[in-house]
Amino acid sequence: MMQKSSTFDVLGQLAALRRYARALTRDEADAEDLVQDALLRAYEKRSGFDPERGASVQGLRGWLFSILHNVFVDRRRARRAEVERESDLAENGPMAGEPAQEHHVRLAQIRDAFMVLPEEQRSALHLVAIEGLGYAEAAAALGIPQGTLMSRLSRARAALRAVEDGTAAGGRPRLKLVGGPDESSR
């Protein structure tokens, strides 16, 4: 047992591993990361090291260089695969997303319309649509009959639909779509 630990002198090979890693990566930080990953893999595979493969130090050195090289190749393959995936995604993905401005304006209009609803309609709609309460739970929370809750919800939803349809505030939409359905209404 003592002989195996003396032949497994990884620290003595550290300088050579760093030089080889720098030669492979051409970058100091990448070389350090590569050496750390290789040493971790060597530690995990230490039971597979056979000091009888020749001179003990040369056997260890070659084994560590082999591990370092394999870690380098694995990283390079992983980077290449990642670049290919990104390239495929760029080629096959959507060229551009839909512009979000109109959607944001619509949401702001709905939020504004929600905020100007009468308090009883706003609270009923909030409990049911946003908090997810059932009609009976929302009616109980507000201390009103369920029929009254349903009536308030109906009026609140109708007011919000009118904003969304563009029929609120005098029948004109607050957002004009250039080149859209509003063009023919002039």
Side-chain angles (χ1 to χ4, degrees), residues 58-72:
Q58 280 305 106
L60 175 64
R61 185 178 194 155
W63 184 70
L64 290 172
F65 281 151
S66 175
I67 289 174
L68 185 95
H69 181 78
N70 288 339
V71 170
F72 173 73

Side-chain angles (χ1 to χ4, degrees), residues 60-105:
L60 175 64
R61 185 178 194 155
W63 184 70
L64 290 172
F65 281 151
S66 175
I67 289 174
L68 185 95
H69 181 78
N70 288 339
V71 170
F72 173 73
V73 170
D74 289 348
R75 283 178 161 195
R76 192 169 55 186
R77 283 182 186 147
R79 263 190 245 124
R80 190 176 301 138
E82 184 178 352
V83 167
E84 287 178 20
R85 281 191 305 272
E86 289 173 357
S87 175
D88 287 346
L89 181 62
E91 289 176 14
N92 298 329
M95 294 306 287
E98 293 293 320
Q101 294 90 345
E102 182 179 338
H103 178 70
H104 288 292
V105 170

Side-chain angles (χ1 to χ4, degrees), residues 83-147:
V83 167
E84 287 178 20
R85 281 191 305 272
E86 289 173 357
S87 175
D88 287 346
L89 181 62
E91 289 176 14
N92 298 329
M95 294 306 287
E98 293 293 320
Q101 294 90 345
E102 182 179 338
H103 178 70
H104 288 292
V105 170
R106 287 280 189 205
L107 285 177
Q109 289 174 347
I110 297 294
R111 183 188 62 238
D112 292 344
F114 177 79
M115 295 309 284
V116 297
L117 286 173
E119 185 273 325
E120 64 272 355
Q121 292 177 16
R122 190 173 61 246
S123 59
L125 188 61
H126 179 86
L127 290 176
V128 172
I130 297 173
E131 299 301 329
L133 269 61
Y135 295 140
E137 291 175 302
L142 294 173
I144 59 174
Q146 191 170 337

Side-chain angles (χ1 to χ4, degrees), residues 119-178:
E119 185 273 325
E120 64 272 355
Q121 292 177 16
R122 190 173 61 246
S123 59
L125 188 61
H126 179 86
L127 290 176
V128 172
I130 297 173
E131 299 301 329
L133 269 61
Y135 295 140
E137 291 175 302
L142 294 173
I144 59 174
Q146 191 170 337
T148 304
L149 174 83
M150 300 292 282
S151 175
R152 290 178 183 177
L153 285 173
S154 177
R155 288 192 306 261
R157 288 175 175 155
L160 294 180
R161 262 193 309 275
V163 169
E164 183 63 21
D165 294 341
T167 57
R172 302 238 6 171
R174 291 171 43 190
L175 175 65
K176 178 158 177 41
L177 300 174
V178 178

